[in-house]
Amino acid sequence: MSKAQAANLRIQQLVQELRAHDYRYYVLDDPTISDQQYDALYRELGELEREHPQWRLPDSPTARVGGKPRSALRTLKHHSRMISLDNTYSQTELLEFMRRVEQGLHSGSEVEYCLEPKLDGGSVEILYRDGQLAGGTTRGDGESGEDIIDNLRTIRSLPLTIEDKRPLTLRAEVVIYRRDLEAINEERAEQGEAPFANPRNAASGSLRMLDPRIVAKRRLRAFIYQVLEGPSIAPTHAATLDYVATLGLPTHGKHRVCKDSKELEAALNELNALRAEYPYEIDGAVVKVNAFAQQQILGETAKFPRWAIAYKFGAERAETRVMDIIVQVGRTGALTPVAVLEPVPLAGTTVSRASLHNADHIETLDIRLGDRVVIEKAGEIIPQVVSVDTQARSGEPRRFVMPTRCPVCDTPVEKRGEEVALRCPNPACPAVIKGAIFHFSRRFAMDIDQLGFVLIEQLVDQGLVRDVADLYELSVESLSKLERMADKSARNVVSAIAASKERTFDRLLTGLGIEHIGQVAAKQLAEEAHSLEAFLGWDEPTARTRVAGIAGFGPKMIESVAAYLTDHKSRALLQRLQAFGVSRAQPVHVGVEGPLSGNSVCVTGVLSKKREDVHELIRQAGGTVHDKVKQGTTYLLAGEKVGKAKTDAAKKVGAQVITEEQFEALRSGRVVASAGTLKK
Ligand code: IVH
């Protein structure tokens, strides 16, 4: 087998493997490889595709993110009207619904119901045509919605191609898992944006974003709950869902066929009981008449189908008492009041704390010490206080006042500009240091699992660690001096810290907690800079220009990176980390996706722009740059006064010679670039 044939086979194998891993991760929620292993396979595929663009498959996972951010989403008419469901909160009304169904059908007919979870996200219409993921819209006003196909393509649980070539029009709910929302919210908090109150807002907000590259990082998942061509596939709704699942399409897989109200009630109770265990939010159940023939007889009213109803679970609430209000200081110095509650069971967990956000929030709700309060968990990760029972007060309970000095280091607190939050401005505040080290060690950053918060507290309190670089100087000896630290644990901690040196540069950037630079931004920044060494090499003007060119980086982010890089303290920290060999091993892969993804361009001759600027444009459009024409070069961008040797070399390797004008058309996506051919 030639080298080229081997590459072709490997590409096919990788596409299949990655697809299978996507399915395991996003549909079965049961991955068999780590994120890093996945990334390695993905990179290998990307590299092979760049070398052999002619073998890039249309359903390659690398083809999920393409195109440029848009300035607006266009509106498209739905394939068929997206009506919503009548809903109820009571089982009595559910029985009434069943009676209405039975009356509406010929007397004596047997009715089966399909009970399934009502997922709480954003609803979408998805079209497969000719076996290809071909269209998608948000619900909009029910008649038409926004065209979000580019965003849907980034959802890795949705196959880009399926074997069944018949047209399929699907309804699905796009959701975010609770655990993924936590990461997104941390990111938002760092960027100074308000966190999403619940996974539903996060999912619908993400679906409508203008830049698919950012959507791709949100880990959205789609679950199909209705197939419009159902009747031509199978006689029942449940069988249709089962069928589309065999095509690799994601269904929630939690539907139950019930023969009577007793079975329905049992299934409903079971769903409610298991609710907290699902990784996504469900806000109720949907009960559907299972047979399409019966659905057709029942028809629909102006607003709702008569064959289905949503049974909603009420938001879970509990009553408890505020025993105390404490103030926590985070790694950014922000002071957050937290209610210490009498422990109470709620939605499957015991709750003993509720965030009170800030002083304004406490005042609005008028929460006082000792108050009886109602807390609620309705999709939010942290329970919220929703109301105060002022009637239950005896006398005039004490009001809570925010401290004027940091409760940890006693520095006077400050208010920054328009912000509501009070902050401790002392960078040496032990709470700030502990928070920063904890953040550094988190799973999504440097992933030092041996470094729990309790240990970090000890390390900082004993003066062994003052910043994240100090971690790399810890020895088994110094650690063993700590209370309750056995030799073996000390060795584990030291080796876990040493192992973190291998983390990629983007994780290091995340871990540093640069203001406004969260996980997603850190990844983009790392891709721009490639390595810690190169990053340190940026002077202020370079930092500003490079950062300004990154998609989605606004003035605050640019300012923050430039300030970080020029601050002598943070530079010294970076230099120490570099000296310890942190993030040296793996330069970051340039993973920008764009109109030139998978294409390698060589630039020659005199052009209207500076050579470096042209190189940058190529990279920004997802292409790679080479100084010499070689095997795998897809385009030779030839300016004026180009020597014949270059163009001959290009012809020899099958690269296409293009003018600056043609290059502009390719780069901007006006003409599709692929496999070295210009397609109009
Ligand atoms: S069936 C004609 N099934 O709830 C089909 N809807 O008001 C009507 N939803 O906007 C919808 N899970 O986005 C159906 N298993 C499920 C669902 C579901 C969530 C959403 C859907 C719709 C709303 C109904």
Side-chain angles (χ1 to χ4, degrees):
M1 201 188 325
S2 73
K3 211 177 140 209
Q5 279 170 322
N8 186 6
L9 271 182
R10 182 69 186 143
I11 287 182
Q12 292 177 26
Q13 195 183 17
L14 283 167
V15 168
Q16 259 177 21
E17 259 183 56
L18 286 164
R19 237 187 112 165
H21 288 306
D22 283 341
Y23 187 76
R24 289 204 71 94
Y25 188 104
Y26 285 94
V27 184
L28 305 179
D29 199 22
D30 181 23
T32 47
I33 59 170
S34 69
D35 286 4
Q36 280 97 319
Q37 286 168 315
Y38 182 96
D39 289 345
L41 294 175
Y42 188 94
R43 265 201 303 275
E44 186 188 345
L45 176 63
E47 273 153 27
L48 283 173
E49 285 175 340
R50 261 185 286 280
E51 276 171 43
H52 308 276
Q54 70 275 27
W55 289 323
R56 193 174 194 211
L57 298 169
D59 61 341
S60 167
T62 60
R64 286 196 177 273
V65 194
K68 290 248 137 189
R70 291 143 304 203
S71 51
L73 297 170
R74 59 180 180 152
T75 306
L76 286 182
K77 219 170 150 50
H78 292 140
H79 191 263
S80 72
R81 201 158 66 96
M82 285 180 82
I83 47 176
S84 64
L85 294 173
D86 195 2
N87 60 55
T88 172
Y89 286 87
S90 90
Q91 297 214 1
T92 326
E93 280 183 23
L94 192 58
L95 289 175
E96 277 165 24
F97 160 77
M98 293 168 81
R99 239 192 328 270
R100 278 199 306 277
V101 165
E102 275 144 47
Q103 276 166 4
L105 296 170
H106 304 296
S107 56
S109 28
E110 295 272 311
V111 192
E112 260 181 11
Y113 295 91
C114 182
L115 179 129
E116 55 193 55
K118 184 172 186 301
L119 286 82
D120 200 12
S123 58
V124 294
E125 179 180 79
I126 302 177
L127 310 180
Y128 278 87
R129 295 293 180 263
D130 259 337
Q132 309 256 2
L133 174 56
T137 38
T138 58
R139 180 163 184 276
D141 62 4
E143 296 289 337
S144 37
E146 283 162 316
D147 179 2
I148 48 158
I149 181 62
D150 289 344
N151 292 347
L152 287 180
R153 285 174 65 86
T154 69
I155 301 181
R156 302 218 307 246
S157 62
L158 274 180
L160 296 175
T161 53
I162 52 171
E163 263 172 29
D164 195 329
K165 299 271 182 292
R166 290 178 286 184
L168 280 184
T169 309
L170 310 167
R171 296 268 190 273
E173 197 79 359
V174 173
V175 301
I176 284 186
Y177 279 12
R178 285 189 214 105
R179 58 167 187 259
D180 293 333
L181 179 64
E182 284 180 48
I184 294 171
N185 272 347
E186 278 189 30
E187 170 101 29
R188 290 177 70 85
E190 271 155 26
Q191 311 217 348
E193 290 172 54
F196 288 116
N198 50 49
R200 181 188 350 110
N201 293 358
S204 16
S206 305
L207 267 180
R208 302 181 54 252
M209 291 197 337
L210 299 172
D211 189 346
R213 287 172 294 190
I214 298 177
V215 182
K217 292 173 178 153
R218 291 263 166 113
R219 302 211 162 176
L220 297 173
R221 298 165 205 247
F223 290 98
I224 291 155
Y225 59 71
Q226 201 73 26
V227 181
L228 283 134
E229 291 81 4
S232 68
I233 293 172
T236 65
H237 169 66
T240 309
L241 286 184
D242 291 338
Y243 169 73
V244 296
T246 66
L247 296 175
L249 289 168
T251 61
H252 45 69
K254 306 264 192 274
H255 48 289
R256 279 283 185 87
V257 177
C258 303
K259 294 212 164 52
D260 52 37
S261 59
K262 242 174 122 179
E263 281 186 21
L264 205 57
E265 199 182 320
L268 202 58
N269 291 338
E270 190 184 308
L271 188 70
N272 197 5
L274 290 177
R275 190 179 162 196
E277 286 171 30
Y278 290 167
Y280 45 78
E281 286 303 327
I282 63 174
D283 60 344
V286 181
V287 179
K288 296 172 182 172
V289 170
N290 197 25
F292 289 126
Q294 291 180 333
Q295 289 188 1
Q296 199 140 37
I297 297 171
L298 291 163
E300 48 197 45
T301 68
K303 278 159 104 187
F304 312 119
R306 289 198 191 87
W307 45 266
I309 193 163
Y311 174 87
K312 292 231 203 164
F313 304 138
E316 295 200 41
R317 292 186 167 193
E319 221 193 283
T320 183
R321 204 171 63 88
V322 177
M323 300 198 298
D324 196 4
I325 294 176
I326 56 169
V327 175
Q328 287 180 342
V329 183
R331 68 177 175 85
T332 60
L335 271 57
T336 312
V338 174
V340 180
L341 307 168
E342 225 166 60
V344 58
L346 175 68
T349 54
T350 301
V351 174
S352 53
R353 302 238 160 153
S355 167
L356 298 174
H357 307 290
N358 52 51
D360 287 5
H361 186 72
I362 299 178
E363 197 156 319
T364 315
L365 281 171
D366 189 22
I367 303 169
R368 313 237 191 128
L369 289 146
D371 269 350
R372 289 212 69 80
V373 291
V374 173
I375 57 169
E376 182 181 279
K377 214 170 166 182
E380 293 84 358
I381 293 158
I382 305 161
Q384 311 286 314
V385 175
V386 286
S387 64
V388 177
D389 185 358
T390 46
Q391 303 294 315
R393 281 178 186 162
S394 56
E396 184 69 6
R398 202 151 52 83
R399 282 175 199 272
F400 169 79
V401 228
M402 278 300 265
T404 51
R405 307 183 82 92
C406 171
V408 179
C409 72
D410 207 37
T411 306
V413 295
E414 285 177 1
K415 219 175 171 119
R416 266 206 242 155
E418 301 287 288
E419 279 184 359
V420 199
L422 294 173
R423 285 179 197 267
C424 167
N426 175 14
C429 171
V432 172
I433 296 177
K434 288 172 189 171
I437 296 172
F438 183 63
H439 178 79
F440 186 77
S441 70
R442 305 244 350 230
R443 229 171 68 121
F444 56 81
M446 298 297 272
D447 193 13
I448 314 177
D449 60 351
Q450 300 283 325
L451 212 57
F453 200 76
V454 179
L455 177 57
I456 293 172
E457 291 214 288
Q458 278 181 300
L459 291 171
V460 175
D461 292 341
Q462 304 282 314
L464 286 174
V465 170
R466 272 148 307 159
D467 60 30
V468 295
D470 285 347
L471 290 173
Y472 296 95
E473 283 187 291
L474 286 172
S475 63
V476 175
E477 218 177 28
S478 59
L479 278 169
S480 303
K481 289 191 197 118
L482 295 176
E483 233 174 280
R484 285 194 303 273
M485 175 67 77
D487 228 36
K488 184 157 175 259
S489 326
R491 267 199 300 275
N492 286 343
V493 173
V494 172
S495 69
I497 293 172
S500 74
K501 291 182 187 174
E502 304 303 314
R503 306 281 177 264
T504 44
F505 180 43
D506 60 310
R507 281 160 161 264
L508 173 65
L509 282 174
T510 304
L512 292 171
I514 303 171
E515 207 182 350
H516 305 305
I517 304 297
Q519 244 174 297
V520 175
K523 206 155 191 158
Q524 290 174 287
L525 186 56
E527 282 173 357
E528 182 64 30
H530 294 277
S531 66
L532 174 55
E533 195 183 358
F535 186 58
L536 267 167
W538 286 358
D539 57 12
E540 197 185 334
T542 314
R544 282 180 194 280
T545 357
R546 297 291 291 267
V547 178
I550 305 177
F553 272 54
K556 276 192 198 159
M557 295 162 85
I558 300 170
E559 205 45 57
S560 167
V561 175
Y564 190 86
L565 260 180
T566 44
D567 175 59
H568 70 276
K569 270 203 190 138
S570 39
R571 280 196 80 82
L573 182 75
L574 290 179
Q575 276 153 355
R576 279 177 69 213
L577 290 169
Q578 191 188 20
F580 289 127
V582 176
S583 289
R584 185 178 43 197
Q586 293 152 26
V588 172
H589 163 68
V590 190
V592 182
E593 298 283 345
L596 285 175
S597 289
N599 289 276
S600 141
V601 187
C602 176
V603 185
T604 186
V606 182
L607 297 158
S608 68
K609 295 191 183 77
K610 271 202 293 194
R611 180 74 61 89
E612 286 143 54
D613 294 346
V614 176
H615 286 175
E616 199 46 42
L617 287 174
I618 296 168
R619 285 194 209 99
Q620 276 174 15
T624 45
V625 183
H626 292 285
D627 333 328
K628 287 209 179 83
V629 173
K630 56 171 197 174
Q631 203 64 42
T633 302
T634 26
Y635 295 110
L636 175 68
L637 165 53
E640 280 166 33
K641 301 186 192 138
V642 176
K644 191 164 173 297
K646 277 257 165 143
T647 49
D648 282 350
K651 279 183 202 136
K652 220 165 122 195
V653 299
Q656 181 148 355
V657 183
I658 53 170
T659 62
E660 202 172 350
E661 205 183 344
Q662 284 173 312
F663 167 73
E664 279 303 320
L666 286 169
R667 174 181 82 77
S668 58
R670 271 181 285 139
V671 171
V672 178
S674 83
T677 48
L678 282 176
K679 289 191 214 141
K680 285 274 166 186

